[in-house]
Amino acid sequence: MEQKEATEVQSVAMSAFERKMEQDLPIEPKDHMPEGYRKHLIRQMSQHAHSEVIGMQPEGNWITRAPSLRARQILLAKIQDECGHGLYLYSAAETLGISRSEMVEQLHTGKAKYSNIFNYPALNWADVGAIGWLVDGAAIVNQVSLQRTSYGPYSRAMVRICKEESFHQRQGYELMAKMMRGTAEQREMAQDAMNRWWWPSLMMFGPHDTDSPHTGDAFKWKIKRQSNDELRAKFIDKTVQQAEVIGLTVPDKDLKWNEEKGHYDHGVINWDEFYKVIGGNGPCNAQRMAHHKKTHRDGAWVREAAAAYMAKQESIA
Ligand code: BYC
């Protein structure tokens, strides 16, 4: 009898989830949800949070070397935003029943990934522009789409993140435009940065749809609203025009407008490089993880102090 009742409760809860899905209503933390949906979100959201936090490293190197006070203030504000994005996303993921320390543990043991793009070095000041313009530009195309993702806390985090991300993209584009108006050497630096960041930025959207194992479930559960290839095409279309305006050349000899599709066709993406990088063997993987682990260890006293303070407040109340 008890077993029968439990099964009935379960099936009513499941149909409530399905009804919400059908009606395009957000799924909230206390709603019943299939285990696969919960796991899928934890994987994606924690990886998204890790990307925001690890993503501070390549640009962080340039705070003390920014060429003017204005540039330094802008870069500092941008990097602080990225940290905030990581925090919103960790908090949103925690509503699914995983703790922040478990997520960090998964990052440190290699179980959780972070975006391929942050395993490349930022070699000079033009790279700061390329990161803002191309990396944040790619991220925003993906994140605008995720504003309509089915999980309420994730979708709401995206709305706020997108507002900040558009400022990031513009600061990067402004920096690149300024360099393109500068000396021959500066123009060369900007083009070189574009050449190095273009292809890894295209990889940020993930493998082609035909090779993307999670896309099927992601569409079924309305976690993704547009596919990896659709979003990549959107990014290419708008970025090629922006490059032309400031005189940069897209490093792809096969790039060609396809009238029929209404999109650019692009050259072959080096997926061997992508899998090598996300498998832990990119140019900076070891450095990024070592830095994160050290900083996490060094910050242990802050977490302990915050926990002790909270315990004290609770004992007073
Ligand atoms: N990098 O089936 P697929 C930022 C993995 S940060 C690494 O297509 P899915 C910023 C994928 O995880 C913003 N791994 O997966 C911060 C899966 O492996 P697992 C970062 C990747 O989830 C600081 C396997 O490949 N944005 O803006 O359906 C400074 C198969 O892929 C990548 C996000 O994180 C990749 N690029 O689609 C500046 C967006 N792509 O998990 C800027 C949120 C794929 O089975 N994430 N993989 O081991 C998403 O939208 C989706 O997860 C993806 C992939 C589109 C990335």
Side-chain angles (χ1 to χ4, degrees):
M1 183 61 189
E2 266 178 24
Q3 174 69 30
K4 195 176 162 222
E5 267 173 29
T7 315
E8 273 168 17
V9 170
Q10 177 91 351
S11 91
V12 168
M14 279 308 288
S15 54
F17 174 86
E18 277 148 21
R19 248 195 332 275
K20 273 193 152 189
M21 275 281 148
E22 261 170 38
Q23 293 170 3
D24 258 342
L25 292 170
I27 306 298
E28 295 298 342
K30 287 187 178 159
D31 290 342
H32 183 83
M33 58 186 85
E35 192 51 19
Y37 177 78
R38 199 179 68 83
K39 285 201 173 129
H40 190 119
L41 281 168
I42 289 179
R43 178 191 62 83
Q44 179 168 328
M45 290 166 69
S46 67
Q47 294 187 168
H48 197 159
H50 299 323
S51 304
E52 299 282 358
V53 170
I54 299 277
M56 290 192 284
Q57 292 188 37
E59 291 171 294
N61 273 338
W62 286 92
I63 296 171
T64 54
R65 289 177 281 172
S68 68
L69 182 59
R70 177 181 181 269
R72 182 180 294 192
Q73 280 176 319
I74 292 173
L75 185 59
L76 201 54
K78 177 195 187 294
I79 296 172
Q80 281 176 336
D81 283 353
E82 307 297 1
C83 181
H85 298 174
L87 298 185
Y88 313 151
L89 284 161
Y90 283 129
S91 299
E94 279 181 315
T95 65
L96 292 157
I98 184 167
S99 68
R100 174 104 62 96
S101 54
E102 281 174 279
M103 288 186 265
V104 171
E105 169 79 15
Q106 290 180 354
L107 172 70
H108 288 176
T109 55
K111 189 175 172 221
K113 295 188 167 68
Y114 58 90
S115 183
N116 67 302
I117 197 77
F118 303 117
N119 293 305
Y120 293 87
L123 300 176
N124 59 47
W125 182 246
D127 287 27
V128 173
I131 293 174
W133 174 41
L134 299 175
V135 175
D136 286 272
I140 199 171
V141 169
N142 170 277
Q143 293 173 154
V144 162
S145 183
L146 284 173
Q147 289 182 131
R148 291 181 50 243
T149 194
S150 58
Y151 189 53
Y154 195 18
S155 143
R156 290 189 286 275
M158 284 300 112
V159 172
R160 178 150 177 197
I161 288 176
C162 281
K163 287 195 179 119
E164 294 173 352
E165 217 75 271
S166 60
F167 150 70
H168 299 171
Q169 192 270 351
R170 281 199 296 268
Q171 68 84 30
Y173 190 56
E174 184 204 48
L175 200 162
M176 292 301 260
K178 203 167 182 178
M179 290 195 84
M180 290 305 286
R181 290 195 304 270
T183 62
E185 199 184 344
Q186 285 169 324
R187 284 196 294 278
E188 222 171 274
M189 274 170 74
Q191 183 63 54
D192 169 60
M194 163 111 198
N195 295 349
R196 284 181 290 107
W197 289 91
W198 175 253
W199 291 100
S201 298
L202 297 192
M203 295 174 197
M204 282 177 74
F205 295 93
H208 288 306
D209 299 347
T210 43
D211 302 319
S212 159
H214 298 298
T215 288
D217 279 346
F219 270 116
K220 177 177 81 182
W221 286 320
K222 300 186 176 176
I223 292 170
K224 266 185 193 173
R225 299 295 190 146
Q226 285 166 294
S227 74
N228 299 0
D229 285 328
E230 281 173 314
L231 293 173
R232 188 168 15 245
K234 213 175 214 183
F235 169 72
I236 294 174
D237 293 348
K238 74 172 193 170
T239 311
V240 168
Q241 287 179 18
Q242 291 167 357
E244 277 169 9
V245 170
I246 58 174
L248 281 165
T249 307
V250 178
D252 178 357
K253 60 179 176 27
D254 297 318
L255 191 79
K256 198 165 169 261
W257 180 250
N258 184 325
E259 196 63 53
E260 220 170 282
K261 287 194 203 152
H263 289 297
Y264 279 94
D265 286 331
H266 60 82
V268 178
I269 295 174
N270 184 346
W271 294 111
D272 288 344
E273 175 181 323
F274 171 77
Y275 288 112
K276 196 173 130 199
V277 170
I278 69 169
N281 298 307
C284 299
N285 298 60
Q287 181 188 333
R288 302 288 182 243
M289 285 314 299
H291 184 79
H292 193 280
K293 285 180 184 168
K294 180 182 182 306
T295 310
H296 191 68
R297 267 196 316 274
D298 291 350
W301 70 271
V302 180
R303 293 189 294 280
E304 281 159 23
Y309 178 77
M310 203 166 80
K312 191 173 168 191
Q313 294 300 309
E314 276 167 6
S315 73
I316 295 168

